[in-house]
Amino acid sequence: MTQARTLDDIRVEFDAPDNVPRDRIVDLSFANGSNPNDLVDPYEPFAWLNGPDIPRLLYNPPVRSGLGAISGSRRGNWVVSHYEDIDRVYCDNDHFSNAGTAEFQRLIGETFKSIPLAIDPPDHSKYRLYLMPHFSPARITRDIEPRIRKVVVEMIDAVADKGEVDMAWDFGRVYPVRIFMSLMGFPEKMFEQFLDWEWDILHSGTLEKMQAALRGVLDFLRAFIAEKEANPDEHLVSSIAHGKIQGRAPTEDEKIGMVWFLWLGGLDTVAATIAQMFRRMALQPDIQRRIRENPALINGAVEEFLRTQPILSSTRTATRDFEWHGVQIRKGDSVQCLNPAGNFDPARFEDPRTFDPERRANRHFTFVGGVHICLGAHLARRELRVLLEEWFARIPEFAPKPGSDTSVFPGLLSIRNLPLVWDTARMPGREGAA
């Protein structure tokens, strides 16, 4: 399926609602990160989906899994793959709602909302303003970056002389979660349990495992919030529990809604980005050489890694009946933004498949867009920038370990293992040493 190149290759029969033209019904599961490949650019198989001959609205049949139960996709969804249309879905809050997004907790009968992700304007802003100071660039520079750099240096130094590391499992999986747990104030002993719960919720595809993990994590989070209410500290969970939303204390549902949302969003996305970023550099060494020779490119390189590695494709719900691109959209219809196509739209990005760390106006959708743009975007960028700064200062040119599997799921599943190797004799400061 990853070699599909025309709509005829992916058209399917499905008893869709009567407002869906039959020629728009296609199976786009291959474009949602469920099929691995071993291409240097693993998102290349989706390139044609933003072409001028592709209808601006496609329709994907239902997802038959536990995820469908909370995403609205049991009845199928519209898909937009062109930059301009994705931008509208993310920014047009009058026609598209984020209510109900990623509310896995409903699978066990919970009714609290994931805050602020599943809250629409105007209420969204009060929660965003409540949390945003903890993720502002100034706060990250002042309070969080020293911790980020300390963790990065410690982790790199632990593997530098070994000449190899599993960048996905032993580094990418660990580094951002250590930062996140420190920010939230979670105990380090919960590290592996958190990742197990998160994997079962997002990736197991088994309703029983999802429900068990949800009960486990929500029981823990509620107990942790209660403990911080009794014993405040300087970390984020305590700040959420003791803060004021427009002059009032948050309700119990608001507290768990915010802490749950941060927990869910803080464990996976940066890890997947790191694994794909280092895989791309290992398979395309010219990129790492260019960054190493000119560290001033690091900020632009991070942005380009983000653009070319869109981990998620977000979904919105139509708030009313309306016509769009000659098609009737109905209230309640689900609309998915196919970021792996939009981030490479040639109508927006010149030579979009080329990795260009000097690209200007790099406004991609990896952090989504509109009012729901990722709350932790500044933190994620800083984690990636500091990682590259310290890595290139300590590690020479690296490559995949001979014989290793470099296949990748181009999405949130990403890469479980990525063994990299380098010549320790060529480490910075050692070249030419007698």
Side-chain angles (χ1 to χ4, degrees), residues 7 10-12 23-29 58-61:
L7 290 183
I10 58 174
R11 281 199 173 97
V12 293
D23 64 349
R24 305 296 180 89
I25 304 171
V26 293
D27 180 3
L28 288 169
S29 59
L58 300 171
Y59 196 86
N60 201 31

Side-chain angles (χ1 to χ4, degrees), residues 310-357:
I311 301 299
L312 296 170
S313 290
S314 298
T315 300
R316 301 289 185 266
T317 303
T319 61
R320 66 185 74 179
D321 293 353
F322 65 100
E323 186 175 306
W324 192 20
H325 294 309
V327 173
Q328 185 65 34
I329 307 295
R330 288 182 178 164
K331 181 178 180 179
D333 281 358
S334 181
V335 183
Q336 182 187 36
C337 297
L338 193 62
N339 295 337
N343 274 11
F344 297 93
D345 192 333
R348 174 72 189 194
F349 302 101
E350 183 179 354
D351 195 11
R353 305 229 71 86
T354 296
F355 184 93
D356 181 7

Side-chain angles (χ1 to χ4, degrees), residues 92-365:
D92 183 355
N93 300 302
D94 290 332
H95 288 85
F96 301 100
S97 168
N98 220 34
T101 298
E103 293 193 333
F104 298 90
Q105 62 269 29
R106 287 193 281 163
L107 293 175
I108 57 171
E110 296 279 2
T111 57
F112 70 85
K113 298 182 183 299
S114 298
I115 301 174
L117 180 66
I119 305 294
D120 289 326
D123 287 342
H124 175 269
S125 62
K126 67 184 178 185
Y127 296 115
R128 184 93 181 184
L129 290 171
Y130 187 64
L131 293 170
M132 195 60 221
H134 301 284
F135 296 92
S136 69
R139 168 76 188 280
I140 291 168
T141 299
R142 182 184 69 246
D143 299 334
I144 304 176
E145 183 172 328
R147 167 67 175 167
I148 294 173
R149 200 169 295 277
K150 179 177 182 295
V151 169
V152 166
V153 170
E154 172 189 308
M155 292 184 68
I156 295 174
D157 286 349
V159 301
D161 287 329
K162 297 177 182 178
E164 66 177 281
V165 68
D166 185 335
M167 199 64 195
W169 184 260
D170 293 326
F171 204 106
R173 185 182 71 100
V174 176
Y175 157 54
V177 179
R178 285 183 61 181
I179 303 302
F180 166 74
M181 293 183 73
S182 175
L183 172 67
M184 299 290 283
F186 290 137
E188 291 184 8
K189 66 181 181 180
M190 293 302 294
F191 179 89
E192 292 292 347
Q193 180 63 78
F194 277 6
L195 291 178
D196 287 346
W197 280 334
E198 185 264 355
W199 179 266
D200 283 348
I201 292 169
L202 293 180
H203 305 309
S204 72
T206 302
L207 182 59
E208 291 76 15
K209 287 185 177 180
M210 294 173 76
Q211 290 174 324
L214 285 162
R215 292 187 182 98
V217 67
L218 291 177
D219 285 349
F220 171 84
L221 293 178
R222 284 192 168 106
F224 192 78
I225 292 169
E227 197 277 326
K228 293 307 168 188
E229 288 173 334
N231 300 290
D233 60 28
E234 72 277 16
H235 300 292
L236 183 50
V237 173
S238 182
S239 297
I240 289 172
H242 293 278
K244 299 289 185 182
I245 299 175
Q246 296 182 336
R248 62 167 178 82
T251 66
E252 295 306 307
D253 275 359
E254 288 173 329
K255 292 174 192 175
I256 188 63
M258 286 184 276
V259 174
W260 152 253
F261 161 69
L262 293 171
W263 181 89
L264 185 66
L267 298 178
D268 224 12
T269 52
V270 177
T273 298
I274 289 171
Q276 291 195 38
M277 179 170 75
F278 275 80
R279 177 187 180 274
R280 181 73 180 263
M281 289 191 290
L283 295 178
Q284 195 173 347
D286 284 350
I287 293 178
Q288 53 176 303
R289 291 172 195 149
R290 187 175 178 187
I291 298 171
R292 186 186 306 279
E293 291 168 4
N294 186 1
L297 294 177
I298 285 178
N299 285 2
V302 164
E303 218 55 44
E304 191 71 337
F305 281 123
L306 289 167
R307 181 187 71 86
T308 58
Q309 299 167 179
I311 301 299
L312 296 170
S313 290
S314 298
T315 300
R316 301 289 185 266
T317 303
T319 61
R320 66 185 74 179
D321 293 353
F322 65 100
E323 186 175 306
W324 192 20
H325 294 309
V327 173
Q328 185 65 34
I329 307 295
R330 288 182 178 164
K331 181 178 180 179
D333 281 358
S334 181
V335 183
Q336 182 187 36
C337 297
L338 193 62
N339 295 337
N343 274 11
F344 297 93
D345 192 333
R348 174 72 189 194
F349 302 101
E350 183 179 354
D351 195 11
R353 305 229 71 86
T354 296
F355 184 93
D356 181 7
E358 298 183 81
R359 187 179 297 277
R360 303 299 179 191
N362 196 351
R363 182 172 171 260
H364 53 75
F365 293 123

Side-chain angles (χ1 to χ4, degrees), residues 386-428:
V386 172
L387 172 55
L388 289 183
E389 289 169 5
E390 300 297 343
W391 181 272
F392 284 119
R394 288 167 169 77
I395 305 297
E397 185 169 314
F398 53 92
K401 188 172 185 177
S404 61
D405 180 6
T406 55
S407 61
V408 56
F409 290 86
L412 192 58
L413 279 169
S414 196
I415 311 165
R416 293 292 273 175
N417 299 98
L418 182 67
L420 300 179
V421 293
W422 56 89
D423 183 355
T424 57
R426 297 181 61 197
M427 286 169 56

